[in-house]
Amino acid sequence: MEVGPLEKTYRKLIMSGLLLLLTAFALLIFKPTGTSSVALGAVLFAVSFLPLELARRVAAKIAVEIREEGKA
């Protein structure tokens, strides 16, 4: 299997997770709409870990693929 598509998936997942995390922190710090911003920021903070966890799993697959290519 080729590592290229996995790297693209990894980059997309890590960037979307970090963007969600940054947005959540911005909502929690600046509170543009008051209490609802805090609630939305808390939800986004929790949801941002989903793509980050998926990116971690893709990175593990990439590591396995690289290791297998080295043995062959």
Side-chain angles (χ1 to χ4, degrees):
M1 185 174 184
E2 200 168 309
V3 180
L6 287 176
E7 288 178 356
K8 287 182 183 179
T9 302
Y10 172 78
R11 286 187 184 137
K12 287 179 185 177
L13 286 170
I14 201 83
M15 290 306 292
S16 63
L18 292 176
L19 183 63
L20 283 172
L21 198 59
L22 181 66
T23 305
F25 280 137
L27 285 172
L28 290 171
I29 292 170
F30 297 118
K31 301 177 194 152
T33 60
T35 308
S36 61
S37 292
V38 174
L40 182 60
V43 169
L44 279 178
F45 183 78
V47 170
S48 69
F49 286 103
L50 293 172
L52 293 174
E53 174 64 21
L54 290 173
R56 185 189 65 82
R57 293 179 185 198
V58 170
K61 286 182 184 179
I62 291 172
V64 168
E65 292 294 325
I66 289 173
R67 179 181 286 170
E68 288 177 358
E69 286 178 5
K71 289 181 181 178

